[in-house]
Amino acid sequence: MDTRTADELHVSQPKTSWMEFIKSHFRDYGMLLSLLAIMLFFQMVTNGTLLRPLNLTNLVLQNSYIVIMALGMLLVIVAGHIDLSVGSIVGFVGGLAAMMMVRWGFDPVTTTIACLIVGGLIGAAQGYWVAYFKVPSFIVTLAGMLVFKGLTLALLGGMSVGPFPVVFQRLSSGFIPDVFGGQGFNYTALFLGMASVAAIIYFSFRSRANQLKHAVETAPFGLFLFKNGLLAVLVIAFCYLMATYRGLPNVLVIMAVLIALYAFVTNRTTIGRRVYALGGNEKAAKLSGIKTERLTFLTFVNMGVLAGLAGLIFAARLNTATPKAGLGFELDVIAAVFIGGASATGGVGKVTGAVIGAFIMGVMNNGMSILGIGIDYQQVIKGLVLLAAVSLDVYNRKK
Amino acid sequence: MNAILEMRGISKTFPGVKALDNVNITVKAGEIHALVGENGAGKSTLMKVLSGVYPHGSYSGSIIYEGAERRFKGIADSEALGIIIIHQELALVPLLSIAENIFLGNEQAKYGVIDWSLAFSRTKELLKVVGLNESPETLVTNLGVGKQQLVEIAKALSKKVKLLILDEPTASLNEKDSDALLNLLLQFKAQGISSILISHKLNEISKVADAITVLRDGGTVETLDCRIEAVSEDRIIRGMVGRTMEDRYPKRDPKIGETIFQVENWSAYHPIHTHVQVVKDVSLNIRRGEIVGIAGLMGAGRTEFAMSLFGRSYGQNISGRVTLHGHEIDVSTVEKAVSNRIAYATEDRKTYGLVLAEDIRKNVTLANLEGVSKSFVIDDMQELAVANDYRARMRIRSPSVFQEAVNLSGGNQQKVVLSKWLFSDPEILILDEPTRGIDVGAKYEIYTIINRLADAGKGVLMISSEMPELLGMCDRIYVMNEGSLIAEFDIAEASQEKIMHAIVKSGRR
């Protein structure tokens, strides 16, 4: 029997070196480094087109709806499920928005609210079968995928419907206006960037101070500074580039707020923690007093609302609703979450990972399009990258 | 007698840990050799080296089997020479039949076409040898754990076993099945098959073993020869823990107060077979500061009773009244049961108790996240403080509270489960097999924790299949059989014989 006292069992915290820390947290940093490497690669082979302000804006606009859905999909996958219907929901909600505004004469605000509610109801309808009837989510959402693809066609009568009122278009094509009146330079964008950097630095210093106070293992101070400094430089550089064009797109702000919100929910709230426990071991979670059925149900409702939002953004971006909208989006979203390090068996996955995963997919799409690679080989390459990313993750975990 | 197996100077290191350090063990032909040691002493690692799970080259030292040095590259190599290992967690496919399982990977086939009549007739022979009276076509999922264990042994026999390794074979068996299994080992011995038996149940070891090798902290402590003189349980324990353990159950001076918890006429039916009543009209009570035991055989309905009580987690059509401090309480969901200060620590830690991929900290607070959060936001640092506090108080051995539960030993996992429930601040704690699969030292610590709870005025209901444990720990013991409480003994008058008599008598009715 071990006769050491409890105090002796506390292993003293040796000073960890940079390399050791990066090694032991490779999974956290590896993903970000891959994204940076991929960006650098395309920046070079496209002769600098990738990071031009115009293209950067496009990159954000093109990926916003994937990122937004990846946030919901992350929770669904962490809870141990999958949602194949999100692409069809995007199409259906987009079509509904078009019919409401163009044909039935509703105003954009009412339409937006109604469409988000419909998204939530669709999620609820599917979540009900998964959570309370224990029908595998793969089956339920496969059914949902077919049902809503069909309903989109029926709703739109097989035609494209548009264009939308200008206010609604701004959801996707609008930019945060410059309140400082810079000539050809959007100061608001730069200030927003600096404000968020200040906030990020404030919160990371606070949490570091807290961790040190409680003697938790922390990153070496140098690395901590480097990490925050790099992040600050990247964010400000990005905002500067955007400022030289038209400023920050509205969608970018929506997306950033949602990312921050979901990162907070998953890391710091009881409901987030419970979703992870549910996915990690449903039986244990249930026997710990967690209402597993209701939680599963809610993750699907949440997914539905986000898919509805994505549907609105996508329709606004095209300025028309087509029966083919959203086709295949579910695959991009699911791939983003898995590239981001989520486990197919549930219980593991991070918001930051899913977002980075979505941008890895997005940068590749964008870069390959600039290079003029055909859609055929783009798919081949994306498929292989998904396989490579996940096998690398599996390999790392085995070690 | 010749040695069938000699392992010399085996050392094996994992990154940062020396799991085996110069271990020596010699098994003579036709003997039952017991391998004992606390959890983490290196028993399983040693057996993995022997069976080739850790291939030659990944360890140092040599294995001499049947007179020649062997270098196994995988399990297939060791099995080909008749070394068969049966793991604690059975490796049967539940939805395949007995015959299919026995010949899995070794099908009775010609050119890939299975000869079913041959497979069935050989299965029948093998089942006869192990004394299992079942049809070869029965699906494994329809068998109890004891019978599944016999199927595993039949499978081993089908491979022409010469050295049979059993890892905790009786951990989940009741006394009758355990005895049958041990007798089988003795039979095999008579036929010249050698076996290595890993077990925590020392009484079984002293019953059948010819020699006992004791491991501690990855090294061989000693080998005791039972043929020269009988080896007492205390003697074995001394080797395992490195000192004598005066008393296996910590002393306690019970201060029992008024009745605080009462269950009246509790009944529950089987979740699938709706007409089968699994819990029949159970009434019991627990007093303040009292440890109450429920004895019974496997399948007596004890776990089913506890789980149906705890938020209707088992069964259907449940009825009965529960009162705490004289007021009826609602226990219809786990959440309500917990908020009414009932806790249930499961017998199956890995399936029902822990989120294995998460760390100690997150497991400890899982049942009472409100206790470390304000309006749905978790206070990280408060949570950390709580987890560190329990880690120190319960003496959970790990580098930190950030250690994932999957990497903890059984005893430490159990301490995490107990921490989780203690943090939910219960009045009544139901412990289902709290020391299953835990080594002697950790058991003592768990007992100490249970005693502390009782001293703090809680009521403890303890379900255990190990009667000495109930007799050593409880103030009062109920006996359950076939879903009913059939007897109640005060500890002063209880004995193993009386409990068994009560069970046998009720079974005859």
Side-chain angles (χ1 to χ4, degrees):
Chain A
M1 207 169 76
D2 198 326
T3 50
R4 288 174 291 177
T5 67
D7 287 328
E8 286 167 316
L9 285 169
H10 280 281
V11 176
S12 62
Q13 299 289 341
K15 267 188 150 328
T16 32
S17 77
W18 281 43
M19 280 320 291
E20 279 170 33
F21 191 84
I22 292 179
K23 251 190 204 159
S24 63
H25 291 71
F26 181 77
R27 283 185 68 197
D28 301 344
Y29 294 106
M31 213 50 76
L32 189 60
L33 293 178
S34 320
L35 175 62
L36 291 178
I38 289 173
M39 287 180 77
L40 200 66
F41 172 76
F42 280 111
Q43 173 72 357
M44 288 195 299
V45 295
T46 60
N47 297 320
T49 312
L50 185 82
L51 293 183
R52 288 226 177 94
L54 169 66
N55 191 54
L56 216 47
T57 306
N58 273 333
L59 198 60
V60 169
L61 295 180
Q62 278 168 2
N63 286 297
S64 53
Y65 37 89
I66 300 292
V67 171
I68 287 171
M69 285 194 283
L71 299 172
M73 190 65 79
L74 176 84
L75 288 177
V76 170
I77 286 175
V78 164
H81 294 284
I82 194 90
D83 191 339
L84 300 174
S85 70
V86 293
S88 298
I89 301 177
V90 164
F92 181 75
V93 170
L96 181 66
M99 294 304 283
M100 283 183 76
M101 286 184 293
V102 178
R103 294 280 162 82
W104 305 332
F106 286 95
D107 65 287
V109 176
T110 316
T111 305
T112 303
I113 293 169
C115 282
L116 292 179
I117 291 173
V118 167
L121 288 177
I122 294 172
Q126 301 193 96
Y128 175 79
W129 295 107
V130 177
Y132 299 103
F133 261 76
K134 312 282 177 210
V135 182
S137 55
F138 188 91
I139 307 294
V140 173
T141 59
L142 185 65
M145 176 178 168
L146 294 171
V147 167
F148 292 103
K149 207 189 277 178
L151 284 180
T152 311
L153 265 172
L155 183 68
L156 293 172
M159 293 180 299
S160 295
V161 176
F164 298 122
V166 179
V167 184
F168 185 73
Q169 289 176 35
R170 291 231 177 94
L171 180 61
S172 266
S173 58
F175 292 81
I176 304 285
D178 189 13
V179 291
F180 300 101
Q183 297 298 318
F185 189 85
N186 188 317
Y187 285 101
T188 314
L190 196 58
F191 281 122
L192 277 177
M194 285 157 124
S196 30
V197 164
I200 291 170
I201 290 182
Y202 170 73
F203 281 114
S204 49
F205 265 92
R206 207 179 68 163
S207 95
R208 184 182 170 84
N210 225 338
Q211 284 174 348
L212 286 177
K213 207 171 82 189
H214 290 83
V216 183
E217 187 204 17
T218 43
F221 190 60
L223 183 66
F224 170 78
L225 279 186
F226 177 74
K227 205 175 89 181
N228 277 289
L230 186 70
L231 193 66
V233 169
L234 286 178
V235 171
I236 290 179
F238 172 79
C239 288
Y240 180 83
L241 284 175
M242 299 299 266
T244 61
Y245 184 56
R246 295 177 60 189
L248 300 180
N250 292 337
V251 159
L252 176 71
V253 177
I254 297 176
M255 191 171 85
V257 169
L258 285 176
I259 291 172
L261 176 71
Y262 279 83
F264 181 76
V265 167
T266 52
N267 280 330
R268 293 295 304 277
T269 63
T270 52
I271 191 162
R273 175 68 61 78
R274 285 176 179 151
V275 173
Y276 282 84
L278 159 71
N281 185 346
E282 184 176 356
K283 289 170 181 164
K286 197 166 185 175
L287 272 182
S288 299
I290 294 171
K291 291 175 184 152
T292 51
E293 282 98 359
R294 203 177 66 175
L295 205 55
T296 306
F297 176 73
L298 288 178
T299 59
F300 276 91
V301 173
N302 174 66
M303 180 75 251
V305 174
L306 290 177
L309 177 60
L312 292 172
I313 291 173
F314 187 65
R317 180 170 149 71
L318 295 186
N319 197 15
T320 176
T322 73
K324 289 212 153 186
L327 202 68
F329 280 13
E330 61 280 349
L331 301 180
D332 278 354
V333 174
I334 292 168
V337 174
F338 284 131
I339 288 178
S343 153
T345 48
V348 178
K350 276 187 176 167
V351 164
T352 44
V355 171
I356 291 171
F359 274 108
I360 286 180
M361 295 290 280
V363 169
M364 288 200 327
N365 277 335
N366 183 280
M368 289 192 293
S369 297
I370 297 173
L371 288 178
I373 296 175
I375 193 81
D376 40 7
Y377 284 104
Q378 283 197 23
Q379 295 197 0
V380 172
I381 293 170
K382 270 157 62 183
L384 293 177
V385 166
L386 171 64
L387 183 64
V390 176
S391 353
L392 194 71
D393 198 43
V394 170
Y395 173 77
N396 269 330
R397 225 174 298 177
K398 260 194 211 149
K399 273 200 310 191
Chain B
M1 247 190 304
N2 294 329
I4 183 169
L5 170 76
E6 207 178 326
M7 297 178 81
R8 282 189 205 146
I10 305 285
S11 296
K12 163 91 187 154
T13 42
F14 295 109
V17 196
K18 192 150 200 181
L20 294 176
D21 187 8
N22 194 21
V23 172
N24 296 299
I25 178 170
T26 305
V27 180
K28 291 183 181 140
E31 76 173 359
I32 299 177
H33 197 112
L35 190 59
V36 299
E38 296 193 287
N39 284 347
K43 294 165 296 183
S44 299
T45 312
L46 185 65
M47 289 304 109
K48 282 180 180 166
V49 166
L50 173 58
S51 59
V53 172
Y54 300 131
H56 179 80
S58 68
Y59 59 88
S60 61
S62 55
I63 299 174
I64 291 130
Y65 176 71
E66 290 189 315
E69 187 175 350
R70 308 289 175 176
R71 299 177 170 189
F72 300 130
K73 290 198 191 71
I75 297 187
D77 290 358
S78 61
E79 283 199 349
L81 292 177
I83 301 177
I84 311 282
I85 182 162
I86 297 179
H87 293 280
Q88 192 174 355
E89 271 118 30
L90 298 178
L92 297 172
V93 185
L95 290 176
L96 291 185
S97 70
I98 295 179
E100 284 170 310
N101 266 292
I102 286 181
F103 292 111
L104 194 63
N106 179 25
E107 286 82 2
Q108 303 296 298
K110 250 184 200 157
Y111 311 115
V113 179
I114 296 176
D115 182 347
W116 283 113
S117 49
L118 177 65
F120 283 141
S121 68
R122 286 210 52 200
T123 303
K124 267 184 202 152
E125 287 165 24
L126 291 166
L127 292 184
K128 206 167 168 191
V129 175
V130 299
L132 180 58
N133 189 20
E134 290 281 346
S135 151
E137 289 175 76
T138 308
L139 298 187
V140 163
T141 181
N142 297 332
L143 301 176
V145 193
K147 289 183 173 178
Q148 290 190 10
Q149 192 76 256
L150 294 178
V151 173
E152 278 273 17
I153 292 173
K155 186 175 171 181
L157 290 180
S158 79
K159 293 176 188 162
K160 306 250 176 332
V161 61
K162 288 179 195 156
L163 176 62
L164 183 65
I165 304 164
L166 296 136
D167 191 355
E168 294 279 350
T170 59
S172 44
L173 300 190
N174 62 34
E175 223 146 300
K176 201 173 126 236
D177 287 350
S178 299
D179 278 345
L181 189 97
L182 296 174
N183 285 331
L184 201 57
L185 282 188
L186 291 172
Q187 249 180 63
F188 290 165
K189 178 179 149 185
Q191 292 162 20
I193 298 174
S194 325
S195 17
I196 297 178
L197 173 68
I198 300 177
S199 180
H200 282 130
K201 296 189 181 168
L202 301 182
N203 56 335
E204 294 178 353
I205 287 176
S206 23
K207 212 181 285 175
V208 297
D210 300 310
I212 303 170
T213 293
V214 184
L215 292 185
R216 187 168 72 224
D217 301 330
T220 323
V221 176
E222 57 191 344
T223 296
L224 306 163
D225 195 330
C226 312
R227 281 165 297 221
I228 297 171
E229 56 175 340
V231 177
S232 72
E233 285 178 38
D234 288 340
R235 177 70 191 81
I236 304 173
I237 292 173
R238 195 162 70 215
M240 282 167 69
V241 299
R243 62 184 171 80
T244 40
M245 193 168 268
E246 308 289 58
D247 199 339
R248 265 191 264 175
Y249 305 98
K251 292 250 177 321
R252 162 170 156 264
D253 190 14
K255 291 174 210 66
I256 296 171
E258 77 283 6
T259 299
I260 51 175
F261 183 71
Q262 257 181 311
V263 178
E264 291 161 69
N265 308 108
W266 198 261
S267 292
Y269 288 80
H270 194 278
I272 299 162
H273 308 292
T274 50
H275 58 282
V276 179
Q277 191 173 2
V278 182
V279 180
K280 298 168 189 161
D281 214 20
V282 170
S283 300
L284 57 74
N285 63 70
I286 302 174
R287 290 173 289 175
R288 182 186 297 281
E290 188 180 34
I291 302 177
V292 176
I294 305 185
L297 302 175
M298 272 296 156
R302 294 168 302 167
T303 296
E304 290 79 1
F305 161 68
M307 285 184 74
S308 67
L309 191 67
F310 188 63
R312 301 199 177 157
S313 303
Y314 171 89
Q316 57 173 357
N317 208 351
I318 295 161
S319 60
R321 251 168 64 92
V322 182
T323 50
L324 183 66
H325 297 304
H327 303 288
E328 182 163 3
I329 56 170
D330 182 359
V331 290
S332 60
T333 68
V334 173
E335 203 194 10
K336 285 174 184 161
V338 173
S339 67
N340 280 314
R341 306 183 68 190
I342 313 285
Y344 166 72
T346 163
E347 61 169 339
D348 187 346
R349 294 183 288 273
K350 287 182 182 165
T351 314
Y352 292 105
L354 294 165
V355 183
L356 288 171
E358 290 196 338
D359 58 23
I360 295 175
R361 167 188 56 138
K362 291 182 180 174
N363 273 294
V364 166
T365 56
L366 190 59
N368 184 17
L369 273 177
E370 285 75 18
V372 289
S373 53
K374 273 191 204 105
S375 51
F376 306 115
V377 179
I378 297 170
D379 182 339
D380 282 3
M381 293 305 141
Q382 196 193 342
E383 179 179 41
L384 188 63
V386 166
N388 273 325
D389 180 38
Y390 276 100
R391 176 168 161 272
R393 271 203 284 162
M394 307 289 259
R395 299 165 54 91
I396 298 170
R397 277 176 207 98
S398 65
S400 76
V401 292
F402 300 109
Q403 179 92 351
E404 287 172 1
V406 68
N407 295 327
L408 298 173
S409 70
N412 284 315
Q413 286 184 342
Q414 185 66 1
K415 290 178 195 169
V416 174
V417 172
L418 288 178
S419 303
K420 173 172 87 172
W421 288 116
L422 293 191
F423 183 55
S424 77
D425 193 21
E427 282 279 283
I428 300 296
L429 200 63
I430 307 171
L431 304 173
D432 198 350
E433 304 283 1
T435 63
R436 168 174 295 173
I438 292 178
D439 60 65
V440 180
K443 271 185 183 173
Y444 191 87
E445 290 182 305
I446 302 275
Y447 296 143
T448 310
I449 294 165
I450 297 173
N451 281 349
R452 274 208 312 254
L453 288 172
D455 288 342
K458 316 263 186 213
V460 177
L461 185 64
M462 183 164 156
I463 297 171
S464 175
S465 295
E466 286 184 43
M467 272 191 241
E469 175 173 286
L470 289 177
L471 293 167
M473 290 293 297
C474 298
D475 303 310
R476 196 150 53 88
I477 298 174
Y478 288 101
V479 185
M480 195 171 205
N481 196 33
E482 292 171 3
S484 311
L485 289 185
I486 50 166
E488 178 184 350
F489 297 104
D490 205 77
I491 194 62
E493 60 189 30
S495 72
Q496 224 159 319
E497 290 75 24
K498 280 185 185 168
I499 293 172
M500 273 321 288
H501 270 297
I503 293 172
V504 173
K505 220 169 80 191
S506 85
R508 274 196 215 118
R509 259 196 317 224

